[in-house]
Amino acid sequence: MRLDHRLVLIACVSACAPMLPEAPPLTARAESNVAAPVAPPTTTQERPYSTDAAGFEGWKQGFLDRKGGARRELYAQQLAGLTPDPDVIRLDSNQPEFSRPPGTYIANAASTTRITQARQRLDVVPASVVQRYGVPAEILVSIWGNESSFGQVQGDKDVIRSLATLAYEGRRRDWAENQLKDALDIVIDGRRERAGLLGSWAGAMGQTQFMPDNYLRLGVDQNGDGRVDIWGSDVDALASAANLLAQAGWKRDQRWGYEVILPPGFDYRLAESEGRPWSFWAQQGVSLAHGGAPTAAESAETGFILLPQGARGPAFLALPNHFMIRRYNNSVSYALAIGLTADGAIGRPGLVGTWPDDGPLSREQRFGAQTALARMGYDVGGIDGVIGSGTRRALRAWQQATGRTPDGYLTPALADELMRGM
């Protein structure tokens, strides 16, 4: 199986390995903790809607016509007097000038403090949740900590106003309008009072940051009080996250992956491209960083070698559950941070490899490197500033052609070299 898909915009990562071909994602939330990908500047003319009050009222009537149906008047009541939130527009359109290397993000998200906090909360996860869904407690508390600092930072934005603003702004109108409709249904159906429907600027809600559609489809009333309360109930939030991962295809009694050691002379063209069983990787001289071997069930699975920060950084054997975590948030760095935090929480040893001290990539370097590769005839899959699978594949081909280690990792120095050659 080939990894050919680009990381989706809503949960990008500064770095970037590609993702498995998969069914429509069950992504729990709309924005990532990692820096968003830098897109080309957009002009006012490219926006479907203007940003004035009249424009918002015009969008609102259009939304009610498109999505209201039998509930049009009820939706109109909830939207009455609503104005767009300028903070949401600013955050959604703000394209960061720099992107952190994966190691910087992972080291922070899977810090010693976070691991200790996760270990202290393992007992919060009901044994019945683990038994029913097959997702280990350490994975659930790791997600809990990363998403909301164990419920302490859930976001205080009016979810309906945030989603209405995103829909009106127009960049992701269809997605935002569908999420808004679900958020309105949550209130109208009495599942949550409007005043309590709070979340992030992108509409992600509660301790495990669910979008409204997944709250309706996958939310679990674990404590049996008749409500799915992912805001105030730890166990409801954790069971809901477990249900999302289980529905995505979580493999019981299997790990997310392992750190591995690559042998001298390893063919880096195999990394991040072809999935193989463990027997193949072992024949190539790949070994687990802490010795031993995957279980029999894990060895039979398709595993991928990931190099988040190139040949100089740690390497990983990613098993199917790594990609299930990416159904929660489609980011390589996010998924690795969740897995490493979970490992630490149950006492597994930390990384053997060390992260290179690479600087961040600027917007100019991202676009410039893609432009240079494209001009030399390498297909980057579009010049968009996102260093995803297409760019990494093109970079790997260029590295191979120029006698370099073809690890597909773009450093600032390499980007500058490519740009000088234009």
Side-chain angles (χ1 to χ4, degrees), residues 15-59:
C16 12
M19 74 176 284
L20 281 172
E22 60 183 27
L26 293 169
T27 309
R29 62 192 187 134
E31 86 284 10
S32 169
N33 289 349
V34 203
V38 179
T42 56
T43 66
T44 302
Q45 287 73 24
E46 291 171 324
R47 297 284 189 185
Y49 302 106
S50 65
T51 56
D52 57 28
F56 185 74
E57 286 301 315
W59 162 79

Side-chain angles (χ1 to χ4, degrees), residues 355-418:
W355 297 106
D357 187 20
D358 295 327
L361 281 169
S362 71
R363 181 180 186 279
E364 179 185 8
Q365 287 170 325
R366 289 175 149 201
F367 277 99
Q370 287 181 324
T371 301
L373 287 167
R375 287 181 178 176
M376 288 187 287
Y378 296 99
D379 182 10
V380 298
I383 298 173
D384 57 5
V386 180
I387 309 303
S389 61
T391 303
R392 288 172 71 92
R393 189 162 48 244
L395 180 61
R396 189 176 285 112
W398 175 79
Q399 289 171 320
Q400 180 75 15
T402 55
R404 306 161 192 260
T405 300
D407 62 2
Y409 179 64
L410 184 65
T411 63
L414 202 56
D416 289 342
E417 181 180 343
L418 283 165

Side-chain angles (χ1 to χ4, degrees), residues 267-313:
D267 185 355
Y268 283 90
R269 292 173 299 177
L270 296 172
E272 302 179 359
S273 60
E274 294 290 341
R276 310 277 187 157
W278 172 246
S279 59
F280 173 85
W281 296 119
Q283 289 171 2
Q284 306 305 307
V286 177
S287 59
L288 301 190
H290 294 287
T295 67
E298 293 167 347
S299 296
E301 299 285 359
T302 298
F304 296 81
I305 300 297
L306 299 183
L307 304 170
Q309 210 159 330
R312 296 176 299 121

Side-chain angles (χ1 to χ4, degrees), residues 43 47 69 87 104 110 141 199 201 223 235 262 276 279 300 323 333 347:
T43 66
R47 297 284 189 185
D87 286 342
T104 302
V141 296
W201 65 266
N223 63 14
V235 294
L262 305 181
R276 310 277 187 157
S279 59
F323 297 96
S333 293

Side-chain angles (χ1 to χ4, degrees), residues 13-16 33-34 100-112 114-115 146 256 306-309 314 316 322 331-341 351 355:
V13 57
S14 49
C16 12
N33 289 349
V34 203
R100 291 179 291 173
T104 302
Y105 170 77
I106 294 170
N108 180 65
S111 66
T112 300
R114 176 62 56 76
I115 289 171
N146 198 288
W256 62 270
L306 299 183
L307 304 170
Q309 210 159 330
F316 301 90
H322 165 87
S331 155
V332 178
S333 293
Y334 175 89
L336 288 174
I338 294 300
L340 293 170
T341 300
L351 292 178
W355 297 106

